[in-house]
Amino acid sequence: MRGISRRDFLSAVGMAGGAGTMFATMGALGLAPTAMGTPNFQPPQPSDFRLTGRAAAKVVVLGGGIAGLTTAYELGKAGYDCTVLEARDIAGGRNFTVRGGTRQTDLDGHTQVGRFSDGQYMNAGPARIAQWMVTLDYCRELGVPIEPFANQNANALLYNDGMAEPVRFRTAKADVYGYVGELLSKATNQGALDDRLTADDKERLLAFLSNWGGLQPDRSYTGSPRRGFSVDPGAADQAGTPLGPPPALSEVFASGVGLYFSFEFEYDFAVQMFQPVGGMDRIPAALVRAIGADRVRTGSVVTGITNRDDGVSVTYTRNGRPQRIDADYCVSAMPPHLTARIPHNLGANVQSALAAFTADPVGKIGIEHRSRWWEAEHRIYGGITRTDLDIVQIWYPSNGFHGDRGVLIGYYNTGPSAIAYGQLTPREREARAVAQGVKIHGERYRTELASSFSVAWHRTPYLEGGWAIKYGSPEYTLLNQPQGRVYFAGDWLTYLVSWQAGAFDSARRVVTELHERVLKS
Amino acid sequence: MRGISRRDFLSAVGMAGGAGTMFATMGALGLAPTAMGTPNFQPPQPSDFRLTGRAAAKVVVLGGGIAGLTTAYELGKAGYDCTVLEARDIAGGRNFTVRGGTRQTDLDGHTQVGRFSDGQYMNAGPARIAQWMVTLDYCRELGVPIEPFANQNANALLYNDGMAEPVRFRTAKADVYGYVGELLSKATNQGALDDRLTADDKERLLAFLSNWGGLQPDRSYTGSPRRGFSVDPGAADQAGTPLGPPPALSEVFASGVGLYFSFEFEYDFAVQMFQPVGGMDRIPAALVRAIGADRVRTGSVVTGITNRDDGVSVTYTRNGRPQRIDADYCVSAMPPHLTARIPHNLGANVQSALAAFTADPVGKIGIEHRSRWWEAEHRIYGGITRTDLDIVQIWYPSNGFHGDRGVLIGYYNTGPSAIAYGQLTPREREARAVAQGVKIHGERYRTELASSFSVAWHRTPYLEGGWAIKYGSPEYTLLNQPQGRVYFAGDWLTYLVSWQAGAFDSARRVVTELHERVLKS
C-alpha cells in the first residue's frame, strides 16, 4: 500500500477503502511499455567484478524473508559471498504456506500441527499478486508457475449483521447501480446539473446511465436480470425466473452493501490477480534453491551487530551455540521492531528509529472442508465474501476446483478483531470463526469442517506482527540510508507495505546501492 | 442468452449490452442451494429397465455436437443403444479447438492448417463458462479439469476510433465513476432529489458516492490512484506517480468508454468464468470416451429421415457409400437450417419451422505471437480489450502465463463485420485484423506474429452459422415437441442460445421426455 493513509489501508483490508486521494500530477495514460510494472533495475553481473579486477564482497543478510532472500539472490548473481541468517526453521518470513505436517508454536505456547489433506494448503501470509507487481517478474525468472487468484466474484456474498440473509455481489451491484442511475438521470433531466453539463454531456450521460444502471425506458430502476435468477434460463419454455423485485432504494442504501464495491477498483486489488501454483512458498523455496541452501542458515537467532570501519560482525546462536560471522557488509532484513531489541553500535538515532516502528496485529485462519459445497451448492468458484462480522471476509479457494476438498480462509482481519482472535486458543478461534461463518452459510459451514490452522502474526515468534507502516516519516528516511556498513531492507521501507512486492523492491534498491559502493571502493 | 432481445445479445458480444429488461417476479435473494445452478435432472438409470423388464431402446442421434453427444451420453447411462452420426471428421460441433495440425476447408474452398506451436491452441467456438452453467457440472462429472477464464481485467484496454491512445479499463472506470459520483453528490446536496430521498438516504448515498467515486472531501472528482500510476509505488522515496489529471468530464463521456462497463455485470459474463484446461474440446473428447468412440460415426452425412409408427429410418453416406440405420427413436441435434435441407416425412409445418431459423454470421481469429509482450510490457495477464473497430475485441490468453508464446483472439465479431472478414481469404483476414490491432498495440502486434487461424462459422461446412435465435416463437415451441419418433435438440431450442449450457440443457430435456415415453410404452 502506498500514498494512502494507514486508516485507509486497514479499511481496504476490511471494509472498502475511504475516499481516494488527489495526486494532480501530469502524465500520459500510462500505456507506454516503460510506464507500468517493474522499475528499471540492473542486477549485478559477474562481469562487474571481472572487468574491474575487484573481489566480490562478503555480505551477511539478517532475516530470510523475501527481502533477505532477494538481497542474497541478486548479489549472488555477481558472485558476492552471501550468508543469510534466519531465526525460524524455514525461510520465507511471512510468506508462509501451511500444509499437512506444518508445525508452529506461538508466543503464548500454543502448538499447532497442520492436518490439511494432501494437496491442500493455506497461504497464511501473502496470498495474491497484482499484475503490475515485480513479484510476477520473480515468478517468471525463478520458474514458479502462476495461476489466477479470484479476488472478485459476482457470485460471492455480502453480509452485514442484521441482514435477513446474505446477498450476492451481482445482486447488490445491480441494485445500487440501478438506483444511482435512476437518481442521476432524474436530476439531469430536471436541469439540476445544467451549470455543469452541456446538452451533449447530458445526452451521453443519460445513455450511459441507462446502459450501466439497467434502467427502464422511463429511466426508473425496477430490477434487471443482472440481479440473478431464482430459476436459471434453460430449455424449451424455461425462460428463467429473475430474482425480484429489488428492495426499495432506502433499504439498499441502508444495508451499506455499496461500500464494499470500491475495493475492486483499487490499484492493488483489481482483477486479474495471481498466485503461485501450489502455494505462495514456492517463491522463497525457489529463491533458496537459486541462492544455494547451504547459504541460508535457519535456526539462527541474531544476538548482536557491530559495525566497524572495515566490516561488520554479527553474533548469533544456532542450536543454542553462540556463533559469529564477519563480513564486509550487512543487510538487516528483519522486522524493525525486532531489530530494535538486538544490541548494536549503530547509535541512538538508529535505535529510536527502529523502535518507532510498530507492527500491526493480523490474523488468518484456514479451514479445510470435506466437500466443496460452495461450488456444488452455491456456485461460488473462488472469490471473497465480505461481511462486517469480525471475520471480515471468507475466501473460497482459487485452486483445486471440483476437487474433493478445499481450504477456506475463515477470517483475515486486523486491529481489534485480530487481537481478539489472537487471544484465543486455536480451537477457540476455530469455533468463533465457524459460528460467524454459519451466519452466512448455514450449518454446512460447521458440519463439513475437517480441520483448521490459524495464525496470529503478532503472536508469531521472530515476526510479531503483520506489517509496519511509517512511510515518509523521518525514521523511514533514516533507515532507508546505510548506517555505516549496515543496510536495512523490507517492505516496511517502501510504499508497498504488506506486499511482497515491497520486500522485492526494497532489496533491489539496497542491492543497487551496495553494489555501486563496492564497485567504487 | 435468454430473456433479452437478439439486439441486446449481439451488442453484448460486441459493445456493452442495452438497458436491462424488467422481470417483476417475486423471489428471495436466491441463495437457497436449489435456487442456482443445474435444473433438477435425473439421468436415466440401468435399474429403470431392470425393474420394469423392458428393453432399452435403440436411438440414432444426428449431429455430434454437444447436444447430440450429451443425448447419447445420458441415454447410455441406462443402456440405450445409441449411435451418433456426425458429418465432420471430428465430434464437438462448434466446440472446436484449433491446434497445430488442425485442418479445415471452408465453403469457399479455403483450406487452413493450424501452425500453432506445441501446447498453443485457440477455442474457435465456445471459450468461456459461467459459474452457474451446467457445463461446469459436466466438467466435474467427466473429469475435465477447469481453470479460470479472465473475462475482465482492469489492465486491459478500451479503444474507440479517434481516441489519441487506448485507455485502461481501470483508468476509464475511475474517471466515469468519479464524475458520476461528483454529479450525483452535487444534485443531492442541492436538494434536487428531495422528493425521492429522505435525510438518511441522502447521508448514506453521499457516503457511498465519496467512497465509490474516489471523491475529494468537497465531493469533487480530480483523479485518484485507482486510475493507475506512471511510476509505480516502490522503495524509499518512490511514493509512486499516479496518472493524472483526468480528462474533463465532457471528454470522458464523449469518449463512450462507459458504455463498455455493463458487460461485466451481465448474468452470463460476470467474473469468475472458467475454461477447461488444455482446450474447450476436452469436453466433447470426454463425452466421446464415455459414450464409446465406436458409437460416434464421424464423416456421416445424413441424407434422409423417415418417421414410422414403429421406428425411424435414417439414411446417410459415409466415405461416399450410402448407409441406413433403423432405430426406435431419433434425436436430431443438427443446426435447424441445415436439417431443413434434408428430405424427411415430418410434414410441412416442421419443414417451415426448421427453415424459419437463420443462423448468424460469427467470426474469430487466433493469432499466435512469438512472445507474450502483453504480459511483459503491458502487464496485461488475460482479459479482453474492447474497441469499436471491426475486430470488436482482443482476448489475451488465460493460460500459459509467463510462457514463451501465446495465442491472442484477434477478432470475435458478428453481423456485418463477421461477414466482411468471412469474405476475405484467411491471409487477408489476418492482415486486416493485425492492421486494426496495431492501432491499439503498435507495431509489436505485427512483428511478433507467428501464425494465425480464422474461422467464419457461417462459411463452415455442416454448421453454417454461429447461432440461431427464435426463442419463444411458434417454430421454437413446435420443434421443442417430438414429431412422431423424432426429437430435436440444440442450444437453439433454449433460452441459452450460443452457450454450450443450452446444448446440454436441451439434451437433458429431450432425454427426460424420451425416457419417460420409453418407460411408459
Side-chain angles (χ1 to χ4, degrees):
Chain A
M1 316 299 302
R2 100 305 316 163
I4 56 173
S5 72
R6 174 192 178 114
R7 179 188 181 82
D8 281 355
F9 169 60
L10 290 177
S11 64
V13 172
M15 222 35 198
T21 311
M22 160 64 172
F23 294 87
T25 54
M26 298 301 291
L29 291 172
L31 293 165
T34 55
M36 199 127 187
T38 315
N40 201 22
F41 167 72
Q42 292 295 332
Q45 301 293 325
S47 57
D48 294 345
F49 292 117
R50 274 205 311 273
L51 299 177
T52 62
R54 285 184 182 78
K58 183 173 179 183
V59 177
V60 58
V61 178
L62 314 185
I66 296 299
L69 294 176
T70 303
T71 300
Y73 170 66
E74 293 293 355
L75 289 175
K77 290 177 179 174
Y80 281 82
D81 178 8
C82 295
T83 303
V84 179
L85 303 180
E86 166 56 43
R88 301 191 347 148
D89 58 5
I90 188 171
R94 285 161 290 169
N95 181 323
F96 181 53
T97 299
V98 177
R99 298 187 178 79
T102 300
R103 172 182 289 267
Q104 184 167 278
T105 301
D106 68 17
L107 293 171
D108 302 307
H110 303 125
T111 295
Q112 292 179 82
V113 181
R115 292 187 288 129
F116 295 151
S117 308
D118 276 0
Q120 298 296 331
Y121 67 84
M122 160 208 189
N123 289 325
R128 49 190 168 191
I129 309 170
Q131 288 167 95
W132 57 268
M133 290 179 175
V134 70
T135 311
L136 285 189
D137 299 273
Y138 279 94
C139 289
R140 181 167 44 193
E141 181 170 316
L142 295 164
V144 173
I146 58 168
E147 64 192 3
F149 174 89
N151 201 48
Q152 179 182 337
N153 190 337
N155 269 9
L157 309 179
L158 294 170
Y159 179 76
N160 284 341
D161 210 7
M163 284 170 61
E165 63 176 327
V167 59
R168 291 189 194 270
F169 261 96
R170 71 164 80 243
T171 313
K173 214 176 268 184
D175 291 343
V176 171
Y177 289 4
Y179 284 125
V180 166
E182 175 184 314
L183 291 170
L184 185 52
S185 296
K186 185 172 177 177
T188 303
N189 274 328
Q190 287 175 343
L193 296 160
D194 282 0
D195 60 335
R196 183 81 169 91
L197 300 173
T198 67
D200 280 350
D201 291 342
K202 286 169 71 169
E203 188 182 333
R204 291 162 178 157
L205 176 62
L206 289 169
F208 163 74
L209 294 171
S210 275
N211 172 306
W212 170 80
L215 304 184
Q216 295 300 305
D218 70 355
R219 305 193 188 285
S220 66
Y221 175 69
T222 55
S224 121
R226 294 175 190 166
R227 306 185 78 238
F229 288 76
S230 56
V231 178
D232 282 332
D237 56 358
Q238 189 182 322
T241 307
L243 297 173
L249 183 151
S250 290
E251 270 183 79
V252 168
F253 286 103
S255 74
V257 292
L259 296 172
Y260 290 104
F261 299 168
S262 66
F263 175 75
E264 297 171 359
F265 316 139
E266 298 295 346
Y267 190 57
D268 298 349
F269 293 103
V271 288
Q272 185 66 62
M273 301 194 79
F274 287 85
Q275 64 183 8
V277 175
M280 193 59 84
D281 65 352
R282 301 294 195 228
I283 294 176
L287 284 167
V288 168
R289 275 197 305 277
I291 296 165
D294 56 316
R295 294 186 174 277
V296 181
R297 297 186 192 165
T298 54
S300 299
V301 180
V302 176
T303 53
I305 305 167
T306 305
N307 175 65
R308 296 188 314 273
D309 284 349
D310 61 346
V312 182
S313 294
V314 171
T315 56
Y316 62 103
T317 60
R318 197 176 190 199
N319 303 324
R321 290 174 47 198
Q323 311 269 350
R324 171 177 157 166
I325 186 169
D326 296 322
D328 297 311
Y329 299 94
C330 172
V331 177
S332 176
M334 299 187 294
H337 60 304
L338 303 190
T339 312
R341 298 185 198 153
I342 297 171
H344 62 77
N345 70 341
L346 300 172
N349 282 349
V350 169
Q351 176 58 23
S352 61
L354 287 167
F357 282 80
T358 54
D360 288 350
V362 177
K364 203 184 258 191
I365 191 170
I367 307 178
E368 182 174 325
H369 280 237
R370 292 190 188 88
S371 67
R372 296 171 78 100
W373 48 265
W374 51 90
E375 294 175 0
E377 294 173 20
H378 298 292
R379 314 298 286 200
I380 300 173
Y381 287 71
I384 300 178
T385 280
R386 305 288 296 276
T387 175
D388 66 355
L389 301 176
D390 60 17
I391 57 173
V392 180
Q393 48 205 319
I394 295 173
W395 293 17
Y396 311 92
S398 289
N399 58 299
F401 298 107
H402 282 167
D404 290 337
R405 294 174 167 236
V407 174
L408 300 170
I409 299 299
Y411 63 75
Y412 173 23
N413 52 21
T414 59
S417 295
I419 292 171
Y421 276 92
Q423 286 169 342
L424 304 177
T425 66
R427 182 176 292 269
E428 290 167 340
R429 292 174 196 161
E430 175 188 286
R432 179 164 169 170
V434 167
Q436 302 289 62
V438 165
K439 294 182 187 172
I440 296 172
H441 278 299
E443 280 298 320
R444 195 65 127 176
Y445 202 84
R446 190 192 314 276
T447 56
E448 289 299 293
L449 187 152
S451 73
S452 73
F453 196 105
S454 56
V455 174
W457 283 107
H458 48 296
R459 303 301 297 157
T460 299
Y462 305 115
L463 291 164
E464 298 192 28
W467 45 71
I469 307 185
K470 284 187 75 68
Y471 35 58
S473 66
E475 295 86 356
Y476 174 92
T477 303
L478 177 70
L479 297 177
N480 256 307
Q481 303 304 322
Q483 305 299 320
R485 288 173 170 267
V486 177
Y487 292 74
F488 296 95
D491 66 304
W492 54 285
L493 290 172
T494 75
Y495 283 83
L496 290 168
V497 177
S498 86
W499 292 99
Q500 282 182 99
F504 281 118
D505 273 355
S506 178
R508 287 152 77 95
R509 180 175 179 277
V510 163
V511 162
T512 300
E513 293 199 351
L514 192 155
H515 188 50
E516 283 174 3
R517 177 171 168 181
V518 167
L519 289 183
K520 283 180 193 155
S521 67
Chain B
M1 315 300 299
R2 101 303 319 165
I4 57 174
S5 72
R6 174 191 177 117
R7 179 188 180 82
D8 281 357
F9 169 62
L10 291 177
S11 63
V13 173
M15 223 31 199
T21 311
M22 160 63 173
F23 293 87
T25 55
M26 298 299 292
L29 291 171
L31 294 164
T34 56
M36 198 129 187
T38 315
N40 203 22
F41 166 72
Q42 293 294 331
Q45 301 293 325
S47 57
D48 295 345
F49 293 116
R50 274 205 311 272
L51 298 178
T52 61
R54 286 183 181 78
K58 183 174 178 183
V59 177
V60 58
V61 178
L62 313 185
I66 295 300
L69 294 175
T70 304
T71 299
Y73 169 66
E74 293 293 355
L75 289 175
K77 289 178 180 174
Y80 281 81
D81 178 9
C82 295
T83 303
V84 180
L85 303 180
E86 167 55 42
R88 304 198 335 155
D89 58 4
I90 188 171
R94 285 162 290 168
N95 181 323
F96 181 52
T97 299
V98 177
R99 298 188 178 78
T102 300
R103 171 182 291 266
Q104 184 166 277
T105 300
D106 67 19
L107 293 171
D108 302 307
H110 303 125
T111 295
Q112 293 179 81
V113 181
R115 293 187 287 129
F116 295 151
S117 309
D118 276 0
Q120 297 296 330
Y121 67 86
M122 160 206 190
N123 288 325
R128 48 190 170 192
I129 309 168
Q131 288 166 96
W132 58 268
M133 290 180 174
V134 70
T135 312
L136 285 189
D137 299 276
Y138 279 93
C139 288
R140 182 167 44 194
E141 181 170 317
L142 295 164
V144 173
I146 59 168
E147 64 191 3
F149 174 89
N151 202 47
Q152 179 183 336
N153 189 338
N155 269 10
L157 309 178
L158 294 170
Y159 179 76
N160 283 342
D161 211 8
M163 285 170 59
E165 63 176 327
V167 59
R168 292 188 194 272
F169 261 95
R170 73 161 80 241
T171 312
K173 214 176 268 185
D175 290 345
V176 171
Y177 289 3
Y179 284 125
V180 165
E182 175 185 314
L183 291 171
L184 186 51
S185 295
K186 185 173 177 175
T188 302
N189 274 328
Q190 288 173 344
L193 296 160
D194 282 1
D195 61 334
R196 184 79 170 94
L197 300 173
T198 67
D200 279 350
D201 292 342
K202 288 170 69 168
E203 188 183 334
R204 290 162 179 157
L205 176 61
L206 290 169
F208 163 74
L209 294 171
S210 276
N211 172 307
W212 170 81
L215 306 184
Q216 294 301 307
D218 69 357
R219 304 194 189 285
S220 66
Y221 175 67
T222 55
S224 118
R226 294 174 190 166
R227 305 185 80 236
F229 288 77
S230 57
V231 177
D232 282 331
D237 54 359
Q238 189 181 324
T241 308
L243 297 172
L249 183 151
S250 291
E251 270 183 80
V252 167
F253 285 103
S255 74
V257 292
L259 296 172
Y260 291 104
F261 299 169
S262 66
F263 176 76
E264 296 170 2
F265 316 138
E266 298 296 345
Y267 190 55
D268 298 350
F269 293 103
V271 287
Q272 183 68 58
M273 301 195 78
F274 288 86
Q275 64 183 9
V277 175
M280 193 60 85
D281 65 353
R282 300 294 196 228
I283 294 176
L287 284 167
V288 169
R289 275 197 305 277
I291 295 164
D294 56 317
R295 294 185 173 277
V296 182
R297 298 187 191 165
T298 54
S300 300
V301 180
V302 176
T303 54
I305 304 167
T306 305
N307 176 64
R308 298 188 314 273
D309 284 350
D310 62 346
V312 183
S313 293
V314 172
T315 55
Y316 62 102
T317 62
R318 196 175 191 199
N319 303 325
R321 291 174 49 197
Q323 312 268 351
R324 171 177 156 168
I325 187 169
D326 295 323
D328 298 309
Y329 298 94
C330 172
V331 177
S332 175
M334 298 186 295
H337 60 305
L338 303 190
T339 311
R341 298 184 198 155
I342 297 171
H344 61 77
N345 69 342
L346 300 173
N349 282 350
V350 168
Q351 176 59 21
S352 61
L354 286 167
F357 282 79
T358 53
D360 289 349
V362 178
K364 203 185 261 191
I365 192 170
I367 307 178
E368 180 175 327
H369 279 237
R370 293 190 187 90
S371 67
R372 297 172 77 100
W373 48 265
W374 52 89
E375 294 174 358
E377 294 173 19
H378 298 290
R379 313 299 287 203
I380 300 173
Y381 286 71
I384 300 178
T385 281
R386 304 289 295 276
T387 175
D388 65 354
L389 301 176
D390 60 16
I391 58 172
V392 180
Q393 48 204 317
I394 294 172
W395 293 17
Y396 311 92
S398 290
N399 57 298
F401 297 107
H402 282 165
D404 289 338
R405 293 173 167 239
V407 175
L408 300 170
I409 299 299
Y411 62 77
Y412 173 24
N413 51 22
T414 59
S417 295
I419 292 171
Y421 276 92
Q423 287 169 342
L424 304 178
T425 65
R427 181 175 293 269
E428 290 167 340
R429 293 175 196 161
E430 174 188 287
R432 179 164 168 171
V434 167
Q436 301 291 63
V438 165
K439 293 182 188 172
I440 296 171
H441 278 299
E443 281 298 321
R444 194 65 125 180
Y445 201 84
R446 190 192 313 276
T447 56
E448 289 299 294
L449 188 150
S451 74
S452 73
F453 195 106
S454 56
V455 174
W457 283 108
H458 47 296
R459 302 302 296 156
T460 299
Y462 306 114
L463 291 165
E464 298 192 25
W467 46 73
I469 306 185
K470 285 187 75 68
Y471 34 61
S473 67
E475 296 86 356
Y476 174 92
T477 303
L478 177 69
L479 298 177
N480 257 308
Q481 302 304 322
Q483 304 300 319
R485 289 173 172 267
V486 177
Y487 291 75
F488 297 95
D491 65 305
W492 53 286
L493 290 172
T494 74
Y495 284 84
L496 290 168
V497 176
S498 86
W499 292 101
Q500 283 182 99
F504 281 117
D505 272 356
S506 178
R508 288 152 76 96
R509 179 174 178 277
V510 164
V511 162
T512 300
E513 293 198 353
L514 192 154
H515 187 50
E516 283 175 4
R517 178 170 168 181
V518 167
L519 289 184
K520 283 179 193 157
S521 67

